[in-house]
Amino acid sequence: MLNCLVTVLGVFICVPLLLFMAAPYIRRYIAGGVCKSTAKLNGKVVVITGANTGIGKETARDLAQRGARVIIACRDMAKGEAAACEIRAETGNQQVIVKKLDLADTKSIREFAENFLAEEKELHILINNAGVMLCPYSKTADGFEIHLGVNHLGHFLLTFLLLECLKQSAPARIVNVSSLAHHGGRIRFHDLQGEKCYNWGLAYCHSKLANVLFTRELARRLQGTGVTANSLHPGTVHSSLGRHSILMTLLWKTFSFFLKTPREGAQTSVYCAVAEELESVTGQYFSDCRPAYVSPQGRNDELAKKFWNVSCELLGIQWD
């Protein structure tokens, strides 16, 4: 009996002690890859959507530190101004500005692009970072299912409107933030708006697959222009992205130790934006600052072409 008691007591003492000792190594593993590039971006213009919070904000901070003129494109101007003020103070870079952009409204997207093109002569890096996740069924101002509309169609239209500026500024890069969740996605042409069957988790997966397919077809079309396009998985990051789900919010708070911080989650976005070795790399998918596996659906070129055409039809644009 005494031996059992000693054993149990030993377990209760040793296990927490071992976990405490191993914590730094566990955190280092969870943090994942780090962008080691020391590239400077003085004179370069960058647009980052959703950079008022989370990994977008940390991406903006890093690129501002490198000397870029960073345009934070976001819906919440108050949060955007607060983020810009913080970044300017920390980096000493006063070229961090905020512009209104609501990806759930094509009118707002067109206004943003029109104002940008009137005020800026160049665009070297476009990071399509903003997104929504696990939203109850709702539609954008133009009648698109919210995940499809914001995560894919909004960025699709924004890229279309800014593409000529990117080409004229080449070499230039387009970085699309996707997710490992794209593996669970499908392009359901018979029910793109989720009106027949809707699941908020799968809707997010579908939109992330859309990001991968968009990147793949965009890269093919941009060959020889000096503009590259790559997509990425930032990792499982402790951010406000899952705010629409009470369960997800509770899980992220409970297991925050096992999640990446926004700064850690931003590393692959920064890597795709600045790494010298990616200067001519295009159409690829990255995670932890290295190439990652893409689902069979995400590698389907015919699907990518078909979805491209359908996206153009939904937005009423011609992009040949």
mmCIF file of all heavy atoms in Angstrom, residues 196-229:
data_model
loop_
_atom_site.group_PDB
_atom_site.id
_atom_site.type_symbol
_atom_site.label_atom_id
_atom_site.label_comp_id
_atom_site.label_asym_id
_atom_site.label_seq_id
_atom_site.Cartn_x
_atom_site.Cartn_y
_atom_site.Cartn_z
ATOM 1 N N LYS A 196 -28.699 25.165 -50.303
ATOM 2 C CA LYS A 196 -29.330 23.859 -50.173
ATOM 3 C C LYS A 196 -28.855 23.124 -48.924
ATOM 4 O O LYS A 196 -29.624 22.423 -48.275
ATOM 5 C CB LYS A 196 -29.038 23.016 -51.419
ATOM 6 C CG LYS A 196 -29.606 23.603 -52.705
ATOM 7 C CD LYS A 196 -29.226 22.743 -53.909
ATOM 8 C CE LYS A 196 -29.769 23.344 -55.194
ATOM 9 N NZ LYS A 196 -29.364 22.540 -56.379
ATOM 10 N N CYS A 197 -27.582 23.283 -48.639
ATOM 11 C CA CYS A 197 -26.994 22.605 -47.478
ATOM 12 C C CYS A 197 -25.842 23.452 -46.958
ATOM 13 O O CYS A 197 -24.934 23.791 -47.724
ATOM 14 C CB CYS A 197 -26.510 21.212 -47.875
ATOM 15 S SG CYS A 197 -25.737 20.295 -46.514
ATOM 16 N N TYR A 198 -25.879 23.791 -45.667
ATOM 17 C CA TYR A 198 -24.843 24.663 -45.118
ATOM 18 C C TYR A 198 -24.272 24.128 -43.818
ATOM 19 O O TYR A 198 -25.012 23.721 -42.917
ATOM 20 C CB TYR A 198 -25.398 26.067 -44.870
ATOM 21 C CG TYR A 198 -24.367 27.039 -44.322
ATOM 22 C CD1 TYR A 198 -23.403 27.591 -45.161
ATOM 23 C CD2 TYR A 198 -24.354 27.378 -42.969
ATOM 24 C CE1 TYR A 198 -22.452 28.476 -44.670
ATOM 25 C CE2 TYR A 198 -23.401 28.261 -42.476
ATOM 26 C CZ TYR A 198 -22.451 28.806 -43.324
ATOM 27 O OH TYR A 198 -21.499 29.673 -42.837
ATOM 28 N N ASN A 199 -22.951 24.103 -43.742
ATOM 29 C CA ASN A 199 -22.239 23.757 -42.526
ATOM 30 C C ASN A 199 -21.117 24.771 -42.371
ATOM 31 O O ASN A 199 -20.264 24.894 -43.263
ATOM 32 C CB ASN A 199 -21.669 22.333 -42.625
ATOM 33 C CG ASN A 199 -20.823 21.951 -41.409
ATOM 34 O OD1 ASN A 199 -19.696 22.419 -41.252
ATOM 35 N ND2 ASN A 199 -21.362 21.096 -40.559
ATOM 36 N N TRP A 200 -21.113 25.516 -41.259
ATOM 37 C CA TRP A 200 -20.154 26.615 -41.151
ATOM 38 C C TRP A 200 -18.703 26.165 -41.154
ATOM 39 O O TRP A 200 -17.814 26.899 -41.589
ATOM 40 C CB TRP A 200 -20.423 27.501 -39.942
ATOM 41 C CG TRP A 200 -20.745 26.843 -38.631
ATOM 42 C CD1 TRP A 200 -21.974 26.776 -38.041
ATOM 43 C CD2 TRP A 200 -19.851 26.189 -37.718
ATOM 44 N NE1 TRP A 200 -21.899 26.128 -36.823
ATOM 45 C CE2 TRP A 200 -20.605 25.758 -36.598
ATOM 46 C CE3 TRP A 200 -18.482 25.937 -37.726
ATOM 47 C CZ2 TRP A 200 -20.038 25.083 -35.517
ATOM 48 C CZ3 TRP A 200 -17.912 25.255 -36.649
ATOM 49 C CH2 TRP A 200 -18.691 24.844 -35.569
ATOM 50 N N GLY A 201 -18.446 24.949 -40.694
ATOM 51 C CA GLY A 201 -17.077 24.440 -40.715
ATOM 52 C C GLY A 201 -16.635 24.094 -42.124
ATOM 53 O O GLY A 201 -15.547 24.486 -42.563
ATOM 54 N N LEU A 202 -17.499 23.390 -42.850
ATOM 55 C CA LEU A 202 -17.169 23.018 -44.224
ATOM 56 C C LEU A 202 -17.123 24.233 -45.141
ATOM 57 O O LEU A 202 -16.331 24.277 -46.084
ATOM 58 C CB LEU A 202 -18.183 22.001 -44.745
ATOM 59 C CG LEU A 202 -18.097 20.601 -44.122
ATOM 60 C CD1 LEU A 202 -19.199 19.711 -44.672
ATOM 61 C CD2 LEU A 202 -16.724 19.984 -44.389
ATOM 62 N N ALA A 203 -17.959 25.222 -44.862
ATOM 63 C CA ALA A 203 -17.956 26.442 -45.683
ATOM 64 C C ALA A 203 -16.589 27.102 -45.628
ATOM 65 O O ALA A 203 -16.079 27.609 -46.641
ATOM 66 C CB ALA A 203 -19.038 27.403 -45.195
ATOM 67 N N TYR A 204 -15.982 27.105 -44.454
ATOM 68 C CA TYR A 204 -14.627 27.661 -44.314
ATOM 69 C C TYR A 204 -13.625 26.832 -45.114
ATOM 70 O O TYR A 204 -12.789 27.382 -45.837
ATOM 71 C CB TYR A 204 -14.226 27.681 -42.836
ATOM 72 C CG TYR A 204 -12.824 28.168 -42.600
ATOM 73 C CD1 TYR A 204 -12.486 29.519 -42.744
ATOM 74 C CD2 TYR A 204 -11.809 27.276 -42.241
ATOM 75 C CE1 TYR A 204 -11.195 29.967 -42.540
ATOM 76 C CE2 TYR A 204 -10.510 27.722 -42.032
ATOM 77 C CZ TYR A 204 -10.206 29.066 -42.175
ATOM 78 O OH TYR A 204 -8.923 29.509 -41.976
ATOM 79 N N CYS A 205 -13.725 25.503 -45.012
ATOM 80 C CA CYS A 205 -12.836 24.611 -45.761
ATOM 81 C C CYS A 205 -12.957 24.841 -47.267
ATOM 82 O O CYS A 205 -11.953 24.899 -47.982
ATOM 83 C CB CYS A 205 -13.145 23.148 -45.434
ATOM 84 S SG CYS A 205 -12.829 22.678 -43.723
ATOM 85 N N HIS A 206 -14.191 24.972 -47.748
ATOM 86 C CA HIS A 206 -14.421 25.205 -49.172
ATOM 87 C C HIS A 206 -13.735 26.505 -49.623
ATOM 88 O O HIS A 206 -13.110 26.562 -50.686
ATOM 89 C CB HIS A 206 -15.923 25.310 -49.473
ATOM 90 C CG HIS A 206 -16.710 24.092 -49.116
ATOM 91 N ND1 HIS A 206 -16.153 22.824 -49.054
ATOM 92 C CD2 HIS A 206 -18.031 23.934 -48.791
ATOM 93 C CE1 HIS A 206 -17.085 21.950 -48.711
ATOM 94 N NE2 HIS A 206 -18.225 22.594 -48.549
ATOM 95 N N SER A 207 -13.849 27.540 -48.800
ATOM 96 C CA SER A 207 -13.263 28.841 -49.165
ATOM 97 C C SER A 207 -11.743 28.792 -49.173
ATOM 98 O O SER A 207 -11.093 29.481 -49.953
ATOM 99 C CB SER A 207 -13.762 29.942 -48.218
ATOM 100 O OG SER A 207 -13.186 29.815 -46.921
ATOM 101 N N LYS A 208 -11.162 27.958 -48.306
ATOM 102 C CA LYS A 208 -9.702 27.840 -48.263
ATOM 103 C C LYS A 208 -9.184 27.034 -49.454
ATOM 104 O O LYS A 208 -8.088 27.305 -49.960
ATOM 105 C CB LYS A 208 -9.261 27.211 -46.944
ATOM 106 C CG LYS A 208 -9.535 28.072 -45.717
ATOM 107 C CD LYS A 208 -8.698 29.353 -45.695
ATOM 108 C CE LYS A 208 -9.387 30.609 -46.106
ATOM 109 N NZ LYS A 208 -8.539 31.812 -46.029
ATOM 110 N N LEU A 209 -9.978 26.055 -49.905
ATOM 111 C CA LEU A 209 -9.635 25.362 -51.148
ATOM 112 C C LEU A 209 -9.706 26.344 -52.309
ATOM 113 O O LEU A 209 -8.863 26.325 -53.215
ATOM 114 C CB LEU A 209 -10.585 24.187 -51.386
ATOM 115 C CG LEU A 209 -10.448 23.474 -52.737
ATOM 116 C CD1 LEU A 209 -9.049 22.898 -52.920
ATOM 117 C CD2 LEU A 209 -11.507 22.369 -52.868
ATOM 118 N N ALA A 210 -10.687 27.217 -52.267
ATOM 119 C CA ALA A 210 -10.826 28.240 -53.308
ATOM 120 C C ALA A 210 -9.568 29.095 -53.391
ATOM 121 O O ALA A 210 -9.115 29.451 -54.487
ATOM 122 C CB ALA A 210 -12.048 29.110 -53.015
ATOM 123 N N ASN A 211 -8.987 29.440 -52.242
ATOM 124 C CA ASN A 211 -7.745 30.224 -52.230
ATOM 125 C C ASN A 211 -6.615 29.500 -52.951
ATOM 126 O O ASN A 211 -5.842 30.103 -53.699
ATOM 127 C CB ASN A 211 -7.298 30.501 -50.789
ATOM 128 C CG ASN A 211 -8.242 31.383 -50.009
ATOM 129 O OD1 ASN A 211 -8.313 31.288 -48.786
ATOM 130 N ND2 ASN A 211 -8.978 32.254 -50.684
ATOM 131 N N VAL A 212 -6.503 28.192 -52.695
ATOM 132 C CA VAL A 212 -5.435 27.397 -53.314
ATOM 133 C C VAL A 212 -5.641 27.301 -54.825
ATOM 134 O O VAL A 212 -4.692 27.467 -55.608
ATOM 135 C CB VAL A 212 -5.382 25.985 -52.685
ATOM 136 C CG1 VAL A 212 -4.394 25.091 -53.428
ATOM 137 C CG2 VAL A 212 -4.996 26.078 -51.210
ATOM 138 N N LEU A 213 -6.876 27.053 -55.245
ATOM 139 C CA LEU A 213 -7.172 26.941 -56.674
ATOM 140 C C LEU A 213 -6.960 28.273 -57.390
ATOM 141 O O LEU A 213 -6.426 28.323 -58.508
ATOM 142 C CB LEU A 213 -8.605 26.464 -56.872
ATOM 143 C CG LEU A 213 -8.892 25.021 -56.448
ATOM 144 C CD1 LEU A 213 -10.392 24.741 -56.484
ATOM 145 C CD2 LEU A 213 -8.149 24.032 -57.348
ATOM 146 N N PHE A 214 -7.381 29.355 -56.758
ATOM 147 C CA PHE A 214 -7.179 30.696 -57.313
ATOM 148 C C PHE A 214 -5.695 30.964 -57.521
ATOM 149 O O PHE A 214 -5.266 31.442 -58.578
ATOM 150 C CB PHE A 214 -7.795 31.731 -56.366
ATOM 151 C CG PHE A 214 -7.465 33.162 -56.688
ATOM 152 C CD1 PHE A 214 -7.475 33.627 -57.999
ATOM 153 C CD2 PHE A 214 -7.151 34.061 -55.680
ATOM 154 C CE1 PHE A 214 -7.176 34.952 -58.307
ATOM 155 C CE2 PHE A 214 -6.847 35.386 -55.961
ATOM 156 C CZ PHE A 214 -6.859 35.833 -57.287
ATOM 157 N N THR A 215 -4.895 30.639 -56.522
ATOM 158 C CA THR A 215 -3.454 30.866 -56.604
ATOM 159 C C THR A 215 -2.843 30.059 -57.734
ATOM 160 O O THR A 215 -2.001 30.566 -58.487
ATOM 161 C CB THR A 215 -2.781 30.471 -55.269
ATOM 162 O OG1 THR A 215 -3.378 31.204 -54.200
ATOM 163 C CG2 THR A 215 -1.286 30.758 -55.305
ATOM 164 N N ARG A 216 -3.259 28.826 -57.855
ATOM 165 C CA ARG A 216 -2.701 27.936 -58.885
ATOM 166 C C ARG A 216 -2.987 28.458 -60.300
ATOM 167 O O ARG A 216 -2.085 28.548 -61.131
ATOM 168 C CB ARG A 216 -3.292 26.532 -58.708
ATOM 169 C CG ARG A 216 -2.613 25.470 -59.545
ATOM 170 C CD ARG A 216 -3.163 24.096 -59.206
ATOM 171 N NE ARG A 216 -2.463 23.034 -59.914
ATOM 172 C CZ ARG A 216 -1.370 22.433 -59.476
ATOM 173 N NH1 ARG A 216 -0.839 22.811 -58.340
ATOM 174 N NH2 ARG A 216 -0.800 21.467 -60.178
ATOM 175 N N GLU A 217 -4.231 28.826 -60.552
ATOM 176 C CA GLU A 217 -4.600 29.315 -61.879
ATOM 177 C C GLU A 217 -4.019 30.702 -62.131
ATOM 178 O O GLU A 217 -3.592 31.019 -63.251
ATOM 179 C CB GLU A 217 -6.121 29.334 -62.018
ATOM 180 C CG GLU A 217 -6.640 29.846 -63.365
ATOM 181 C CD GLU A 217 -6.229 28.993 -64.560
ATOM 182 O OE1 GLU A 217 -5.678 27.891 -64.373
ATOM 183 O OE2 GLU A 217 -6.456 29.456 -65.702
ATOM 184 N N LEU A 218 -3.979 31.547 -61.095
ATOM 185 C CA LEU A 218 -3.404 32.884 -61.231
ATOM 186 C C LEU A 218 -1.931 32.794 -61.598
ATOM 187 O O LEU A 218 -1.459 33.518 -62.487
ATOM 188 C CB LEU A 218 -3.573 33.657 -59.918
ATOM 189 C CG LEU A 218 -3.018 35.083 -59.874
ATOM 190 C CD1 LEU A 218 -3.715 35.977 -60.901
ATOM 191 C CD2 LEU A 218 -3.167 35.660 -58.462
ATOM 192 N N ALA A 219 -1.209 31.905 -60.936
ATOM 193 C CA ALA A 219 0.219 31.735 -61.224
ATOM 194 C C ALA A 219 0.431 31.299 -62.676
ATOM 195 O O ALA A 219 1.357 31.770 -63.348
ATOM 196 C CB ALA A 219 0.816 30.708 -60.267
ATOM 197 N N ARG A 220 -0.411 30.402 -63.150
ATOM 198 C CA ARG A 220 -0.303 29.934 -64.536
ATOM 199 C C ARG A 220 -0.499 31.083 -65.516
ATOM 200 O O ARG A 220 0.256 31.233 -66.486
ATOM 201 C CB ARG A 220 -1.330 28.833 -64.796
ATOM 202 C CG ARG A 220 -1.223 28.179 -66.175
ATOM 203 C CD ARG A 220 -2.367 27.226 -66.437
ATOM 204 N NE ARG A 220 -3.631 27.926 -66.640
ATOM 205 C CZ ARG A 220 -3.977 28.505 -67.792
ATOM 206 N NH1 ARG A 220 -3.160 28.489 -68.835
ATOM 207 N NH2 ARG A 220 -5.163 29.094 -67.901
ATOM 208 N N ARG A 221 -1.481 31.927 -65.226
ATOM 209 C CA ARG A 221 -1.784 33.039 -66.119
ATOM 210 C C ARG A 221 -0.745 34.156 -66.063
ATOM 211 O O ARG A 221 -0.631 34.946 -67.011
ATOM 212 C CB ARG A 221 -3.167 33.620 -65.767
ATOM 213 C CG ARG A 221 -4.321 32.687 -66.120
ATOM 214 C CD ARG A 221 -5.635 33.141 -65.518
ATOM 215 N NE ARG A 221 -6.742 32.294 -65.928
ATOM 216 C CZ ARG A 221 -7.658 32.627 -66.856
ATOM 217 N NH1 ARG A 221 -7.586 33.806 -67.465
ATOM 218 N NH2 ARG A 221 -8.623 31.800 -67.181
ATOM 219 N N LEU A 222 -0.004 34.225 -64.971
ATOM 220 C CA LEU A 222 0.970 35.314 -64.797
ATOM 221 C C LEU A 222 2.385 34.943 -65.212
ATOM 222 O O LEU A 222 3.309 35.748 -65.049
ATOM 223 C CB LEU A 222 0.985 35.767 -63.335
ATOM 224 C CG LEU A 222 -0.255 36.502 -62.840
ATOM 225 C CD1 LEU A 222 -0.124 36.822 -61.357
ATOM 226 C CD2 LEU A 222 -0.475 37.794 -63.637
ATOM 227 N N GLN A 223 2.555 33.758 -65.749
ATOM 228 C CA GLN A 223 3.897 33.341 -66.159
ATOM 229 C C GLN A 223 4.491 34.335 -67.166
ATOM 230 O O GLN A 223 3.835 34.715 -68.130
ATOM 231 C CB GLN A 223 3.847 31.940 -66.770
ATOM 232 C CG GLN A 223 3.590 30.845 -65.751
ATOM 233 C CD GLN A 223 3.512 29.459 -66.376
ATOM 234 O OE1 GLN A 223 3.583 29.308 -67.595
ATOM 235 N NE2 GLN A 223 3.340 28.449 -65.554
ATOM 236 N N GLY A 224 5.711 34.746 -66.896
ATOM 237 C CA GLY A 224 6.405 35.659 -67.794
ATOM 238 C C GLY A 224 6.144 37.127 -67.519
ATOM 239 O O GLY A 224 6.716 37.998 -68.194
ATOM 240 N N THR A 225 5.313 37.440 -66.532
ATOM 241 C CA THR A 225 4.992 38.841 -66.227
ATOM 242 C C THR A 225 5.880 39.435 -65.136
ATOM 243 O O THR A 225 5.877 40.648 -64.931
ATOM 244 C CB THR A 225 3.529 38.983 -65.763
ATOM 245 O OG1 THR A 225 3.359 38.291 -64.513
ATOM 246 C CG2 THR A 225 2.574 38.406 -66.792
ATOM 247 N N GLY A 226 6.586 38.577 -64.398
ATOM 248 C CA GLY A 226 7.384 39.065 -63.284
ATOM 249 C C GLY A 226 6.593 39.152 -61.993
ATOM 250 O O GLY A 226 7.105 39.604 -60.963
ATOM 251 N N VAL A 227 5.342 38.707 -62.042
ATOM 252 C CA VAL A 227 4.495 38.688 -60.844
ATOM 253 C C VAL A 227 4.270 37.233 -60.443
ATOM 254 O O VAL A 227 3.845 36.418 -61.266
ATOM 255 C CB VAL A 227 3.130 39.364 -61.088
ATOM 256 C CG1 VAL A 227 2.289 39.343 -59.809
ATOM 257 C CG2 VAL A 227 3.323 40.794 -61.574
ATOM 258 N N THR A 228 4.578 36.907 -59.201
ATOM 259 C CA THR A 228 4.383 35.545 -58.714
ATOM 260 C C THR A 228 3.168 35.486 -57.783
ATOM 261 O O THR A 228 2.745 36.502 -57.229
ATOM 262 C CB THR A 228 5.617 35.038 -57.948
ATOM 263 O OG1 THR A 228 5.839 35.880 -56.799
ATOM 264 C CG2 THR A 228 6.846 35.051 -58.838
ATOM 265 N N ALA A 229 2.633 34.286 -57.610
ATOM 266 C CA ALA A 229 1.487 34.088 -56.710
ATOM 267 C C ALA A 229 1.683 32.781 -55.954
ATOM 268 O O ALA A 229 1.872 31.724 -56.567
ATOM 269 C CB ALA A 229 0.183 34.053 -57.506
#
